[in-house]
Amino acid sequence: MAVLHINEKEKKGHINAEIYGHFSEHLGRCIYEGLYVGENSDIPNVNGMRTDVVEALKEMQIPVLRWPGGCFADEYHWKDGIGPKDKRKKMINTHWGGVVEDNSFGTHEYFELCRQLGCKTYVNGNVGSGTVQEMSEWVEYCTFDGVSPMADLRKANGHEKPWKIDYFGVGNENWGCGGNMTPEYYGNLYRRYQTYIRQYNNAAPVRKVCCGPNAADYFWTEGVLKTCFAAPHPAQAHGYMDAMSLHYYVVPNDWEHKGSATQFDEAEWYRTLAKAVYMDELITRHGAIMDQYDPEKKIGLYVDEWGCWFDVEPGTNPGFLYQQNTMRDALVAGATLNIFNKHCDRVKMACIAQLVNVLQSVILTEGPKMILTPTYHVFHMYKKHQNAELLHSYIEGNKTVGTDEKDRVPFLSESVSVGEDGTVHVTVSNLSLSEDAPVEISFAQLKPSSVKASVLTGQAHAHNTFDAPEQVKETELSGCAIEGDVIRFTAPACSVISLDIR
Ligand code: AHR
């Protein structure tokens, strides 16, 4: 029996809702078809945004949406995506499938989508192939509420009042697709570009995000921070940034042969999960470098691209990155979100890649049909952690599981928070493919009076399809009971569980 100890008296930090964030790029069928079908589509929509998808995302409580990329961001020229749609420039999306991008989804459409979703905005600017002026003018266009060339242009395009940019990314993967830069070179460009992201509304500041490392590239983190913290302006003691990003994808094998999304053996199951829980080490080690520059943890680490990256579904465009999503994805999501919660002192945002029809999506669409993936259900089950307070917790008697010594993973993964109304939210994942886990929850003082528990489980390869959309779905967890001062339940092999305790 594993014992999950919870000290409800020991709050460890605030879990920013943005940890449950998402990412959408002009890539494959994410924006077009997945989110935006246009006003004239037969698919029910509001101002071009698919109603079914918007409603599902609202139910999941999407807190923030990053856009327009990704690699696409450093080739995107925002002025191509404003004004009358029939006059917008067409271009080739060179990164993703070489298809025609007609720019019918641009700045106005993005803010309209976020309005419908009720989520915060995270716009990613172009450093790789864009100018300082272009970036500066984009922020002016979106956020200035006065008389200026860009504010006037926005008004002429039909939007009188400014929007709010909550977060602005200064470039994307500038160590790679965003310009193949060195950390020092990018660090200097970051200092320069961010200078011209003006704060037009002090009541609604634009938070600036510096491009951080890929996976274990500690050299990048050190080099960029050293450059940004050198000879600081007195008012810019924090390296001119509010946050630094981190990108990390779980690729079961190697980049040439990533592995199938739906067909894998036991060894690959554990290898995938071992790569997922490696996120803990990445955050710890990048965080340790950040601590040297920012011991008070004022700069957030935004893991603004994460998730599983498999081979594309057979027969689909290799440039579209369309993949299925099984219980393995659910376990990756469950374990990773627990890690983010536990690092909430440094991790202030995370965006899974990507929202619809690309990589580890929460939603897949086919024409007018839509399915919710196992990953969707995990985000839905974890939504109560958003803006809750992390509680101290640990599992006594947790062992490791796995077939290969180097790919062993913790049997159980957990995190615990308390909401404003005093409800304790517990999320537990059982990473074993074959072994059920009896669990006892014990509190420091709390005497539980009620518990509501749900579970997502199935065999490892289980997934939803357009013909069978409810193969994997959240159900009530039976056999979960209060026994005296403790709660007992069994976490089935390959499951994600969520409990609300009063
Ligand atoms: O999410 C797909 C791509 O992965 C993004 O465009 C890029 O930032 C990353 O390499």
Side-chain angles (χ1 to χ4, degrees):
M1 163 93 65
V3 182
L4 166 52
H5 293 276
I6 301 174
N7 186 348
E8 70 281 4
K9 300 280 163 216
E10 194 179 337
K11 291 185 179 161
K12 306 282 284 181
H14 183 73
I15 299 175
N16 261 12
E18 286 86 334
I19 285 179
Y20 291 84
H22 292 260
F23 168 43
S24 61
E25 181 166 8
H26 288 241
L27 194 177
R29 297 186 301 113
C30 180
I31 300 288
Y32 302 110
E33 288 187 45
L35 291 162
Y36 180 75
V37 287
E39 295 83 345
N40 300 325
S41 172
D42 290 339
I43 298 174
N45 69 83
V46 175
N47 297 329
M49 314 299 158
R50 286 183 76 128
T51 306
D52 52 354
V53 171
V54 167
E55 288 307 315
L57 294 175
K58 277 164 66 181
E59 169 58 30
M60 189 191 71
Q61 216 171 289
I62 179 173
V64 64
L65 182 61
R66 177 172 176 245
W67 170 84
C71 295
F72 183 81
D74 277 286
E75 269 191 318
Y76 183 60
H77 300 286
W78 67 271
K79 285 184 186 163
D80 296 347
I82 56 171
K85 293 199 178 176
D86 56 350
K87 301 231 164 44
R88 293 188 193 177
K89 272 189 201 160
K90 293 189 173 43
M91 62 188 267
I92 301 294
N93 190 333
T94 47
H95 266 293
W96 306 119
V99 292
V100 173
E101 162 66 57
D102 69 2
N103 279 304
S104 54
F105 187 98
T107 301
H108 291 245
E109 290 74 22
Y110 167 70
F111 283 102
E112 168 61 10
L113 173 62
C114 292
R115 185 194 68 75
Q116 291 187 26
L117 293 172
C119 73
K120 289 193 176 169
T121 59
Y122 180 4
V123 175
N124 210 115
N126 179 347
V127 169
S129 69
T131 63
V132 180
Q133 181 181 358
E134 184 181 5
M135 186 180 284
S136 174
E137 286 184 342
W138 200 5
V139 175
E140 179 189 329
Y141 184 89
C142 296
T143 63
F144 187 53
D145 191 13
V147 178
S148 83
M150 290 304 115
D152 291 351
L153 184 57
R154 182 192 70 236
K155 289 173 200 166
N157 285 330
H159 205 88
E160 183 64 27
K161 281 287 162 199
W163 298 286
K164 183 163 188 267
I165 297 180
D166 293 292
Y167 305 96
F168 194 91
V170 182
N172 169 75
E173 297 195 351
N174 301 93
W175 37 261
C177 65
N180 290 307
M181 302 175 191
T182 63
E184 290 74 21
Y185 181 70
Y186 170 74
N188 279 312
L189 279 188
Y190 174 79
R191 293 175 68 127
R192 179 173 167 225
Y193 275 66
Q194 68 77 36
T195 306
Y196 303 95
I197 297 173
R198 301 294 186 201
Q199 303 290 356
Y200 292 108
N201 179 356
N202 286 335
V206 180
R207 310 257 177 232
K208 299 172 194 175
V209 186
C210 174
C211 168
N214 180 33
D217 187 354
Y218 303 110
F219 179 74
W220 178 271
T221 304
E222 177 69 50
V224 169
L225 288 177
K226 197 170 166 192
T227 309
C228 290
F229 274 78
H233 182 283
Q236 292 288 352
H238 295 288
Y240 304 90
M241 65 186 78
D242 295 293
M244 174 178 248
S245 63
L246 163 65
H247 289 183
Y248 174 61
Y249 286 99
V250 171
V251 178
N253 300 314
D254 55 55
W255 284 98
E256 285 297 295
H257 307 282
K258 301 178 196 74
S260 157
T262 51
Q263 285 157 22
F264 47 86
D265 59 15
E266 197 179 357
E268 200 164 308
W269 164 272
Y270 287 113
R271 189 157 63 244
T272 309
L273 292 177
K275 289 188 176 191
V277 298
Y278 176 55
M279 181 67 88
D280 188 44
E281 178 177 330
L282 291 173
I283 295 169
T284 304
R285 294 187 61 184
H286 286 295
I289 299 171
M290 293 175 80
D291 285 349
Q292 291 169 24
Y293 293 88
D294 173 38
E296 289 174 29
K297 299 190 190 330
K298 296 209 164 150
I299 300 174
L301 181 62
Y302 290 0
V303 190
D304 61 14
E305 286 188 34
W306 69 273
C308 294
W309 193 323
F310 303 124
D311 294 332
V312 298
E313 283 305 294
T316 63
N317 185 330
F320 280 14
L321 311 186
Y322 177 74
Q323 62 190 43
Q324 250 296 355
N325 196 295
T326 66
M327 274 306 299
R328 179 174 57 163
D329 295 77
L331 268 295
V332 168
T336 306
L337 291 169
N338 283 335
I339 291 169
F340 291 155
N341 284 347
K342 293 213 167 198
H343 283 282
C344 67
D345 59 339
R346 182 61 86 181
V347 177
K348 300 292 180 188
M349 185 196 290
C351 303
I352 192 169
Q354 297 189 2
L355 191 58
V356 190
N357 291 333
V358 172
L359 300 177
Q360 191 175 346
S361 303
V362 291
I363 288 176
L364 301 176
T365 67
E366 190 180 85
K369 294 187 196 162
M370 172 195 90
I371 52 174
L372 307 177
T373 67
T375 301
Y376 174 95
H377 292 293
V378 174
F379 273 81
H380 190 260
M381 291 165 81
Y382 277 56
K383 70 180 179 182
K384 290 182 192 140
H385 284 309
Q386 291 187 26
N387 284 327
E389 301 302 311
L390 180 73
L391 291 181
H392 178 61
S393 65
Y394 68 96
I395 295 177
E396 183 191 339
N398 204 5
K399 53 183 186 178
T400 61
V401 286
T403 41
D404 193 330
E405 203 40 49
K406 69 174 179 20
D407 295 327
R408 293 188 73 79
V409 292
F411 186 21
L412 296 169
S413 142
E414 51 77 32
S415 67
V416 182
S417 68
V418 59
E420 253 181 23
D421 67 352
T423 306
V424 174
H425 307 297
V426 178
T427 45
V428 176
S429 297
N430 179 350
L431 277 59
S432 168
L433 256 189
S434 50
E435 210 183 318
D436 295 350
V439 181
E440 179 179 294
I441 298 182
S442 150
F443 291 92
Q445 288 174 5
L446 183 98
K447 312 248 175 281
S449 58
S450 76
V451 58
K452 201 169 147 267
S454 62
V455 63
L456 188 75
T457 190
Q459 56 98 356
H461 305 97
H463 58 277
N464 294 331
T465 65
F466 294 97
D467 295 328
E470 299 207 339
Q471 292 293 105
V472 181
K473 65 173 184 189
E474 213 178 314
T475 56
E476 196 181 320
L477 177 69
S478 60
C480 176
I482 298 171
E483 295 177 22
D485 290 349
V486 302
I487 294 172
R488 292 208 176 90
F489 66 93
T490 296
C494 179
S495 69
V496 178
I497 286 167
S498 144
L499 303 102
D500 291 340
I501 303 165
R502 299 281 306 175

